[in-house]
């Protein structure tokens, strides 16, 4: 393992500098470089897109698979990069139970026949549901997951790098500010020449030896020289002599003021160079992050296309369900005596049915109780004459296929003439279109005044 101690120490120093800068910013003790308003708007839009995409993804998964245990199982299979096993849908499981019940209770009885027919319809519904889940997962859920697990992780990584570059830039600014302040302070101290008299005790009078010592720039006064001036045992003073000429050093080991100014000048130059480098890196990272954030618009366009595909697949699924149930209802209507309808009419009489109510009612098909018994099948519709009064115009809301010759096939949006005959079920009317005549369900019509 290649262990680079210098790199480790450098990374630790950078981390510590960023931590100090971040802490000072939180306490309001350091300046912070603010991003422009457009960049902030891009960041806010990206965060909003990520949050709402996560919510839509989770709720769509709940819609397609309400069972939480099944969702966890599918998640584990995806993480393990294994194929999710095929699972029986609820409709297919219900169809299996109904078929087994019909086989055990008697497939030739009316109840058994009805169970078989309903089982076949439920099986078709389950297959349609399986196709819808598969299509929605590919066309809608997969693009959302790709964005969250791919594009968004890249954006988050670049944003973290931008945050670090910003901390480095602000730290360099603070370092340069301190160096400039120290340089200015050293310059001010160099311009003010201190008085030597202020650096010695008030009762101290320079002797000849001390004066000679001051002229000697090679060393500070010795203890013997101080003792000669103070025979009474004056304690050795704890101070340094300050030179009258700032360019001359009077005490060994002390830096002169010009040298201090040069040191701070070098420090300021170094801080300026580091600031330029940090500014360049910050600008480059900000541009990369901006380009990624502007790509959110392309993500919205892609998600919009996926949303249209999801709606189309859902529309197809519900249309298939409606078609299967309508076929099932027609099949059940051909079994006379399979079950007895209620004695009350399933819908209000024709005279009390308003056009608004008829238009708002979804077609659920005619009730079996309203079908003519076998004895009435010989009714000749050609011999039926419309009443002198009571005929009305009606607009067809949905297509309807005639189950037998006594019914009239309908096409959506066409106009027909309808009327009722005494003794007819209120769910049915006699419809005429040209020279064709037959029974039509009321729920498929919008009666016009």
């Amino acid at each position: 393992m290649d262990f680079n101690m210098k790199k480790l120490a450098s990374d630790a120093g950078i981390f510590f500098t960023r931590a100090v800068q971040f802490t000072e910013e939180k306490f309001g003790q350091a300046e912070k470089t603010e991003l422009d308003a457009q960049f902030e708007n891009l960041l806010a839009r990206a965060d909003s897109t990520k949050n709402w995409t996560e919510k839509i993804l989770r709720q769509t998964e709940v819609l397609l698979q309400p069972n939480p245990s099944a969702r966890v199982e599918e998640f584990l299979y995806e993480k393990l990069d294994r194929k999710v096993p095929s699972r029986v849908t609820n409709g297919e499981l219900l169809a299996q139970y109904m078929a087994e019940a019909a086989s055990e209770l008697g497939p030739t009885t009316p109840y058994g026949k009805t169970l078989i027919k309903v089982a076949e319809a439920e099986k078709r519904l389950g297959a349609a549901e399986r196709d819808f889940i598969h299509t929605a997962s590919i066309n809608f859920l997969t693009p959302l997951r790709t964005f969250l697990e791919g594009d968004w992780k890249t954006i988050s990584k670049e944003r973290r790098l931008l945050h670090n570059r910003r901390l480095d830039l602000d730290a360099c600014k603070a370092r340069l500010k301190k160096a400039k302040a120290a340089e200015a302070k050293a310059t001010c101290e160099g311009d003010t020449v201190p008085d030597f008299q202020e650096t010695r005790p008030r009762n101290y009078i320079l002797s000849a030896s001390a004066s000679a010592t001051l002229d000697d720039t090679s060393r500070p006064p010795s203890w013997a020289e101080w003792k000669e001036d103070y025979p009474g045992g004056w304690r050795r003073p704890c101070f340094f002599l300050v030179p009258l000429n700032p360019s001359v050093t009077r005490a060994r080991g002390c830096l002169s003021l010009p040298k201090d100014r040069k040191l701070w000048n070098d420090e300021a130059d170094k801080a300026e160079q580091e600031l330029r480098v940090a500014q360049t890196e910050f600008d480059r990272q900000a541009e990369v992050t901006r380009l990624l954030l502007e790509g959110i618009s392309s993500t919205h366009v892609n998600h919009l296309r996926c949303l249209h595909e999801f709606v189309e697949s859902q529309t197809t699924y519900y249309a298939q369900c409606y078609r299967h149930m309508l076929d099932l209802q027609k099949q059940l209507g051909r079994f006379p005596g399979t079950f007895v309808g209620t004695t009350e009419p399933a819908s209000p009489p024709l005279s009390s049915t308003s056009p608004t109510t008829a238009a708002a009612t979804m077609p659920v098909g005619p009730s079996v109780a309203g079908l003519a018994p076998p004895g009435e099948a010989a009714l000749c519709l050609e011999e039926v004459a419309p009443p002198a009064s009571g005929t009305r115009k009606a607009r067809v809301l949905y297509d309807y296929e005639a189950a037998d010759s006594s019914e009239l096939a309908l096409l959506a949006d066409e106009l027909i003439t309808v009327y009722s005959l005494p003794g007819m079920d209120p769910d049915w009317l006699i419809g005429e279109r040209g020279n064709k005549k037959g029974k039509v369900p009321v729920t498929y019509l919008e009666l016009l005044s």
Side-chain angles (χ1 to χ4, degrees), residues 172-184 260-276:
C172 290
K173 289 181 179 179
R175 191 179 303 115
L176 177 60
K177 184 178 180 180
K178 293 179 181 178
K180 290 290 186 181
E183 181 184 8
D260 291 340
R261 286 198 299 270
K262 185 177 183 303
L263 179 63
W264 286 114
N265 286 334
D266 295 341
E267 185 69 20
D269 294 340
K270 182 180 178 181
E272 288 180 355
Q273 183 179 1
E274 293 178 352
L275 177 60
R276 285 192 294 269

Side-chain angles (χ1 to χ4, degrees), residues 92-292:
E92 292 173 334
L93 187 60
L94 177 60
Q96 178 182 350
Y97 290 164
M98 286 185 173
E100 294 176 357
S103 177
E104 184 173 348
L105 298 178
T108 58
T109 62
Y111 182 45
K113 292 181 179 179
T114 305
L115 281 175
I116 293 176
K117 292 295 181 182
V118 175
E120 293 176 354
E122 293 295 337
K123 185 177 181 180
R124 290 193 293 269
L125 291 176
E129 181 183 2
R130 184 191 302 276
D131 294 340
F132 167 62
I133 293 175
H134 178 71
T135 304
S137 299
I138 295 177
N139 297 337
F140 191 62
L141 293 183
T142 300
L144 297 184
R145 291 196 187 100
T146 302
F147 167 72
L148 294 175
E149 298 176 0
D151 297 345
W152 181 252
K153 286 187 176 180
T154 303
I155 293 175
S156 300
K157 178 182 177 182
E158 297 300 329
R159 287 179 65 177
R160 288 193 296 268
L161 289 176
L162 178 62
H163 180 68
N164 292 335
R165 296 291 183 266
R166 203 266 309 161
L167 290 176
D168 295 341
L169 176 62
D170 292 339
C172 290
K173 289 181 179 179
R175 191 179 303 115
L176 177 60
K177 184 178 180 180
K178 293 179 181 178
K180 290 290 186 181
E183 181 184 8
K185 183 178 179 181
T187 303
C188 293
E189 291 179 353
D191 295 338
T192 304
V193 180
D195 186 8
F196 180 78
Q197 300 294 330
E198 298 177 359
T199 63
R200 66 177 186 272
R202 294 181 180 178
N203 60 348
Y204 176 70
I205 302 176
L206 289 177
S207 63
S209 61
S211 300
T213 303
L214 287 177
D215 294 333
D216 185 8
T217 59
S218 61
R219 60 179 178 82
S222 64
W223 172 242
E225 294 169 345
W226 287 109
K227 190 175 182 181
E228 180 182 354
D229 294 326
Y230 291 92
W234 175 263
R235 188 176 57 180
R236 185 174 185 177
C238 298
F239 56 84
F240 289 100
L241 295 178
V242 179
L244 296 176
N245 186 356
S247 63
V248 180
T249 302
R250 294 304 185 187
R252 182 177 298 175
C254 296
L255 294 176
S256 63
L257 290 178
K259 190 173 182 181
D260 291 340
R261 286 198 299 270
K262 185 177 183 303
L263 179 63
W264 286 114
N265 286 334
D266 295 341
E267 185 69 20
D269 294 340
K270 182 180 178 181
E272 288 180 355
Q273 183 179 1
E274 293 178 352
L275 177 60
R276 285 192 294 269
V277 174
Q279 186 69 52
T280 302
E281 294 179 353
F282 173 78
D283 293 340
R284 184 185 301 113
Q285 186 61 37
E287 186 63 25
V288 172
T289 308
R290 184 188 297 274
L291 292 176
L292 291 175

